Amino acid sequence: MSASGVQEIPVLWRGDVLVVGGGSAGCAAATAAARSGARTLLVEATGFLGGTGAAVLDTFYGFYAPGRSDRVVGGIGWELCERLFAREQAFERPNTYGAGTGVTYEPEALKLVWDELTEEAGVATLLHATVSQVVMDGDRITEVVAETKAGSVRLAASVVVDASGDAEVAWRAGAALERPDGQQRVQPLTATFRLGNVDLAATPTAELHRLMREAAASGEFALPRTEGSAHRTVLPRVVHTNMTRVSDVNPLDPWELSAAEREGRRQVHEYVRFLKARVPGYEESYLLGVSGRIGVRESRRLVGEYVLTRDDVLSARRFPDEITQCGAPIEDHAAGSSTIWQYVGGDADPTGLTYGVPYRCLLPRDVAGLVVAGRCLSATHDAHASVRSMAQCMAMGQAAGTAAALAASSGRPPAAVDVTDLRRALEEAGVLLDQPSSARVDGRVSQ
């Protein structure tokens, strides 16, 4: 929309950097931008920060590469983890499938710590606000329109960071995107759930999966996925599960997404019925809650200055403009009842190798004043199945926020930011851009 078409809408905020989406990428982006001296606003559609990390999941992956004990991601994301560790609201645990050590946390604590990190940095936060329009001056975004309880408002900034997950801003601005349609489906959706009063030690994971296959084959239970995780949490005898699978859904179609939410809840209760009936340790368990929304792994993806590819991942490719590294395997859930895992380096087993994520993957080719972060980055379906890990989303967010602040202060577009300056700023902020040399101490990582 042109600037002349929204003149009647009041301006609620004007500043340097506007971040849309308060999930892992957006919170890190806003914190980084504000710490870099930019007047920053973070806009989130729900009533809390943390996004999928708070509403659906309870474990961060991507801080470690499978097959090695040192971290490959630091910066704001690791600072977040350290605060959670200090409050005994997180711990590290191995991953069943070799995706690398994960950091399991209490979602309610995560919301609070993100509040603290953003507030301490000086971020202004606008909750319960949904972006509905963008205002363009030629090919450059100048403002967005958000819907609030007070009606439509305009938010103006020198640079916008799209960390919405679904590339809401990039889509509305007309950026080139890959998106699901009738022929191109994306990864399945998942509703997670928590159970109380569980003796998790009574049934090892391999036996749980055997019982799943047996129950599904019997016809007594409708279990679309016959593997998945049930892991311990910060809370005693409480387990978090990632088992359900809602396939063949376009998460951008409002009817299909609505149906997927209902199907996810139906599957949750079927898996609970199975666990209580067939799995030792779950006999007296009870459902504590279902994820606040269904988990979406993939929707719109930017077609940016560079498109990260499957070959980049499997060949462990490095880039001169990389702003983070990743060792997570390609984790493709679009495989019937199981999941396909392919490790960096192309081997069938974890290698410990990492690849780089270029800054160009965050830059649209055709929209100025915009940088993206998180799962809407520029990557193919296969590469996306690796790089979408939470730690990488936070690292991309930190890079995007830092770049946005540099661009705003210099009056240049994000694409013109000097990558040497950006990488230097990231390293000074604790981002691990080269192969790290940290060592594990007492079950934690110390640099």
Side-chain angles (χ1 to χ4, degrees):
M1 175 176 286
S2 67
S4 60
V6 294
Q7 293 303 312
E8 301 303 316
I9 300 174
V11 175
L12 182 67
W13 181 88
R14 189 181 300 276
D16 301 315
V17 176
L18 168 64
V19 180
V20 177
S24 294
C27 288
T31 301
R35 286 181 177 180
S36 299
R39 186 182 178 202
T40 304
L41 174 65
L42 177 59
V43 177
E44 165 58 31
T46 68
F48 56 87
L49 299 179
T52 296
V56 182
L57 302 176
D58 78 336
T59 299
F60 295 137
Y61 286 112
F63 283 107
Y64 296 91
R68 56 195 283 184
S69 60
D70 54 337
R71 276 188 295 113
V72 300
V73 173
I76 291 171
W78 191 248
E79 184 180 339
L80 173 78
C81 293
E82 289 182 321
R83 292 200 182 197
L84 291 166
F85 288 141
R87 300 177 190 201
E88 298 185 344
Q89 293 296 301
F91 58 87
E92 294 181 340
R93 65 179 179 85
N95 178 265
T96 302
Y97 302 99
T101 298
V103 176
T104 292
Y105 54 85
E106 173 53 41
E108 296 306 320
L110 178 70
K111 296 175 186 177
L112 181 63
V113 174
W114 273 132
D115 281 344
E116 293 172 352
L117 281 170
T118 52
E119 287 174 8
E120 290 167 12
V123 175
T125 300
L126 185 63
L127 301 175
H128 299 292
T130 304
V131 170
S132 59
Q133 302 176 61
V134 299
V135 180
M136 308 290 293
D137 181 2
D139 67 349
R140 186 173 71 89
I141 293 180
T142 59
E143 300 177 355
V144 305
V145 176
E147 305 306 320
T148 73
K149 295 298 183 182
S152 300
V153 296
R154 288 156 58 197
L155 310 170
S158 300
V159 181
V160 177
V161 177
D162 186 347
S164 64
D166 293 323
E168 292 284 354
V169 179
W171 169 58
R172 295 180 189 280
L177 300 167
E178 288 282 354
R179 69 196 81 191
D181 56 28
Q183 289 72 44
Q184 180 186 352
R185 291 307 210 188
V186 294
Q187 294 217 40
L189 286 65
T190 294
T192 60
F193 59 98
R194 281 186 162 195
L195 293 172
N197 197 31
V198 176
D199 178 7
L200 194 60
T203 303
T205 298
E207 175 63 6
L208 171 63
H209 293 172
R210 187 193 71 79
L211 292 171
M212 281 183 170
R213 294 191 295 271
E214 181 182 87
S218 74
E220 183 181 348
F221 300 92
L223 306 179
R225 184 181 181 189
T226 54
E227 29 93 303
S229 69
H231 59 258
R232 69 186 180 97
T233 68
V234 171
L235 306 176
R237 296 184 67 85
V238 173
V239 301
H240 183 98
T241 73
N242 188 329
M243 295 180 179
T244 70
R245 175 165 287 169
V246 184
S247 302
D248 298 323
V249 171
N250 177 354
L252 303 175
D253 182 290
W255 292 114
E256 291 191 31
L257 182 59
S258 297
E261 292 280 10
R262 296 192 298 272
E263 172 62 15
R265 281 189 288 273
R266 187 201 65 76
Q267 288 187 21
V268 164
H269 287 272
E270 183 71 349
Y271 276 95
V272 171
R273 185 171 76 90
F274 152 72
L275 291 166
K276 289 174 63 68
R278 292 287 189 95
V279 182
Y282 287 83
E283 297 90 344
E284 302 300 322
S285 65
Y286 47 85
L287 181 64
L288 287 171
V290 182
S291 52
R293 61 174 185 258
I294 198 163
V296 177
R297 294 181 171 89
E298 180 184 17
S299 56
R300 300 184 188 96
R301 289 176 277 106
L302 182 72
V303 180
E305 294 283 353
Y306 186 84
V307 180
L308 193 72
T309 69
R310 172 190 179 89
D311 183 62
D312 293 334
V313 173
L314 296 184
S315 64
R317 184 162 293 140
R318 309 308 295 240
F319 301 89
D321 65 332
E322 63 188 55
I323 43 79
T324 188
Q325 57 184 328
C326 182
I330 293 175
E331 178 187 349
D332 195 339
H333 290 254
S337 62
S338 61
T339 303
I340 297 172
W341 298 81
Q342 293 179 290
Y343 292 91
V344 178
D347 294 338
D349 298 310
T351 61
L353 295 174
T354 62
Y355 61 90
V357 180
Y359 175 54
R360 288 165 292 161
C361 289
L362 311 184
L363 297 173
R365 296 175 179 175
D366 40 14
V367 177
L370 177 66
V371 57
V372 308
R375 66 174 175 86
C376 57
L377 86 158
S378 177
T380 65
H381 168 81
D382 289 331
H384 183 270
S386 165
V387 75
R388 64 182 176 82
S389 295
M390 287 287 193
Q392 279 68 39
C393 286
M394 285 185 268
M396 284 186 271
Q398 183 165 0
T402 304
L406 289 171
S409 66
S410 66
R412 296 176 294 173
V417 167
D418 188 306
V419 173
T420 301
D421 292 341
L422 173 59
R423 284 171 51 85
R424 183 184 302 113
L426 293 175
E427 286 187 303
E428 290 173 353
V431 173
L432 303 176
L433 295 180
D434 298 315
Q435 296 295 326
S437 59
S438 52
R440 183 175 294 278
V441 179
D442 297 330
R444 295 267 299 283
V445 170
S446 176
Q447 295 243 47

